[in-house]
């Protein structure tokens, strides 16, 4: 299956922020980071100051529109009933419960860019710099962007630290393009057990099945959601329509069973400026172990570690890690 992802590419970056004021953030910070980024990004790049992008003449060429409200191509064969394509980015906030960062303390988050959006990395860096001047969280605490590092995905060797390369720092304000664009072949070797593996969901994960959120996780539900997400990212952002046997893979996935489960549902709310209402964004976290013929699905599962799975991925939802030992 690896060769089928020949055009799928992504890049990983770590942003380090230093508090200039006291930053007061919620326990789950994904919504705050993504929402504040969207506000600052539009303020910086939008020339028409339109509230909605649909009526803007420039929407098909606008960086904000592409990144945040990706318009569907007129000749699209997918998602014709939807207003936007999936976001080409994932912002994973610091996975810690700490809510207050005092002046001088640091915090970091990870950014994943997929396909064509990698070219727009300078916009992300500039926007997060400017957002620090606007302020974030309750009380609009200020911060400064200290540095950005590229993360090179390496082999799955126990206790090996991920290689990072400094590509931008506050000191010299110079962006270096010597980072590595990653492909699915870079995530191997595919030496995970083809019969048993444990998946640990680190952020609330919202998977849909039969049009409804699924409170329980079966392997075929996970695979359905991964197939949908990865194929749409590939089609809209990597210019590759994946030639996969979707029905065959889903049918095969039904033979993989749950061996052990330790999942729990976590509820949280975010405020949507666009819809002007609070929205429930609950999902499950914890661990689950599957057993069966997993070999056909390993490339999908490995790629999903980076692009996440399910609803709300741009907020950092649906992040998981594959662990070879049981629960």
């Amino acid at each position: 299956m690896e060769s089928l992802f020949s055009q799928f590419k992504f890049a990983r970056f770590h942003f380090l922020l230093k508090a200039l004021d006291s930053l007061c953030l919620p326990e789950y910070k994904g919504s705050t980071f993504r929402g504040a980024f969207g506000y600052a990004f539009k303020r910086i790049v939008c020339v028409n100051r339109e509230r909605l992008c649909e009526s803007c003449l420039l929407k098909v060429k606008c960086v904000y529109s592409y990144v945040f409200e990706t318009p569907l191509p007129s000749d699209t064969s997918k998602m014709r009933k939807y207003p936007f394509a999936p976001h080409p980015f994932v912002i994973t906030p610091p996975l810690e419960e700490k809510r207050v960062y005092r002046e001088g303390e640091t915090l970091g988050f990870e950014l994943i860019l997929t396909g064509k959006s990698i070219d727009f990395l300078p916009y992300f860096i500039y926007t997060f710099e400017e957002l620090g001047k606007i302020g974030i969280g309750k009380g609009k605490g200020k911060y400064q962007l200290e540095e950005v590092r590229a993360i090179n995905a390496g082999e799955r060797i126990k206790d090996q630290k991920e290689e990072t390369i400094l590509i931008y720092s506050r000191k010299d304000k110079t962006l270096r393009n010597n980072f590595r664009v990653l492909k699915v072949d870079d995530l191997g070797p595919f030496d995970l057990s083809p019969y048993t593996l444990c998946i640990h969901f680190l952020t609330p994960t919202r998977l849909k099945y039969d049009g409804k959120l699924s409170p329980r996780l079966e392997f075929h539900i996970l695979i359905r959601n991964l197939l949908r997400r990865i194929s749409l990212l590939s089609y809209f952002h990597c210019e590759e329509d994946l030639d996969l046997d979707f029905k065959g893979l889903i049918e095969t996935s039904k033979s993989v069973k749950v061996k052990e489960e330790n999942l729990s549902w976590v509820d949280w709310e975010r405020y949507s400026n666009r819809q002007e209402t609070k929205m429930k964004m609950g999902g499950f976290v914890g661990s689950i172990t599957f057993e069966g013929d997993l070999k056909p699905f390993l490339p999908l599962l490995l790629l999903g570690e980076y692009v996440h799975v399910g609803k709300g991925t741009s907020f950092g939802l649906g992040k998981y890690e594959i662990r070879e030992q049981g629960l």
Side-chain angles (χ1 to χ4, degrees), residues 143-165:
Y143 68 80
Q144 61 189 18
L145 176 60
E146 288 289 291
E147 65 177 35
V148 180
R149 289 183 172 270
I151 308 172
N152 290 340
E155 296 181 353
R156 304 181 65 85
I157 300 175
K158 186 177 180 182
D159 298 329
Q160 175 177 294
K161 290 186 178 180
E162 292 176 311
E163 177 191 353
T164 65
I165 298 174

Side-chain angles (χ1 to χ4, degrees), residues 17-18 32 39 50 86 101 120 143 146 197 224 238 259 261 291-292 310:
L17 315 179
K18 181 179 180 180
T32 299
Y39 168 78
E50 295 279 354
Y101 296 82
F120 301 129
Y143 68 80
E146 288 289 291
L197 62 79
R224 288 173 194 269
C238 300
K259 182 180 180 181
E261 178 192 315
E291 63 179 358

Side-chain angles (χ1 to χ4, degrees), residues 256-267:
V256 177
K257 303 302 181 184
V258 176
K259 182 180 180 181
E260 289 185 78
E261 178 192 315
N262 186 23
L263 299 174
S264 58
W265 191 267
V266 176
D267 277 315

Side-chain angles (χ1 to χ4, degrees), residues 62-261:
C62 173
V63 177
Y64 172 83
S65 178
Y66 170 69
V67 169
F68 224 79
E69 297 184 13
T70 312
L72 300 179
S74 58
D75 60 348
T76 184
S77 63
K78 300 180 186 293
M79 297 187 72
R80 291 176 180 172
K81 296 181 180 179
Y82 292 82
F84 311 117
H87 294 107
F89 69 91
V90 175
I91 296 175
T92 303
L95 301 179
E96 56 188 10
E97 296 180 358
K98 183 174 180 176
R99 301 185 63 176
V100 177
Y101 296 82
R102 305 295 182 188
E103 179 182 350
E105 291 187 318
T106 60
L107 67 157
F109 65 89
E110 184 172 315
L111 172 71
I112 301 286
L113 296 180
T114 303
K116 292 179 289 185
S117 70
I118 299 171
D119 294 337
F120 301 129
L121 173 64
Y123 285 89
F124 283 83
I125 293 175
Y126 181 72
T127 298
F128 276 107
E129 272 201 329
E130 292 301 299
L131 179 57
K133 301 171 186 176
I134 297 169
I136 193 172
K138 187 177 180 181
K140 297 294 182 182
K142 307 293 193 296
Y143 68 80
Q144 61 189 18
L145 176 60
E146 288 289 291
E147 65 177 35
V148 180
R149 289 183 172 270
I151 308 172
N152 290 340
E155 296 181 353
R156 304 181 65 85
I157 300 175
K158 186 177 180 182
D159 298 329
Q160 175 177 294
K161 290 186 178 180
E162 292 176 311
E163 177 191 353
T164 65
I165 298 174
L166 181 67
I167 61 169
Y168 183 81
S169 74
R170 180 177 60 85
K171 296 177 181 178
D172 60 21
K173 301 283 186 179
T174 301
L175 177 59
R176 304 165 183 84
N177 292 318
N178 60 336
F179 60 85
R180 188 177 178 188
V181 175
L182 303 165
K183 293 191 174 184
V184 70
D185 291 339
D186 297 315
L187 308 183
F190 301 102
D191 58 356
L192 294 170
S193 166
Y195 304 108
T196 304
L197 62 79
C198 176
I199 297 179
H200 189 77
F201 292 93
L202 302 174
T203 62
T205 302
R206 299 163 57 83
L207 303 185
K208 276 195 168 183
Y209 176 55
D210 276 347
K212 298 180 294 185
L213 281 178
S214 177
R216 293 186 57 80
L217 180 59
E218 297 177 30
F219 189 69
H220 73 92
I221 296 176
L222 176 61
I223 292 302
R224 288 173 194 269
N225 280 267
L226 280 172
L227 282 170
R228 175 177 173 79
R229 173 150 175 77
I230 291 171
S231 65
L232 291 178
L233 286 175
S234 181
Y235 179 80
F236 288 110
H237 302 296
C238 300
E239 300 181 330
E240 181 180 34
D241 193 359
L242 295 180
D243 183 20
L244 293 172
D245 179 9
F246 289 85
K247 291 184 178 179
L249 284 167
I250 290 170
E251 195 60 35
T252 302
S253 70
K254 293 177 181 178
S255 65
V256 177
K257 303 302 181 184
V258 176
K259 182 180 180 181
E260 289 185 78
E261 178 192 315

Side-chain angles (χ1 to χ4, degrees), residues 24-69:
C24 185
L25 303 173
E27 184 175 318
Y28 183 74
K29 305 162 187 67
S31 177
T32 299
F33 274 94
R34 192 269 208 179
F37 164 72
Y39 168 78
F41 193 23
K42 189 164 189 177
R43 191 170 116 168
I44 289 166
V45 305
C46 181
V47 297
N48 276 343
R49 306 299 179 191
E50 295 279 354
R51 180 172 174 80
L52 299 175
C53 294
E54 293 96 307
S55 58
C56 180
L57 182 65
L58 304 177
K59 66 179 180 181
V60 295
K61 294 295 183 180
C62 173
V63 177
Y64 172 83
S65 178
Y66 170 69
V67 169
F68 224 79
E69 297 184 13

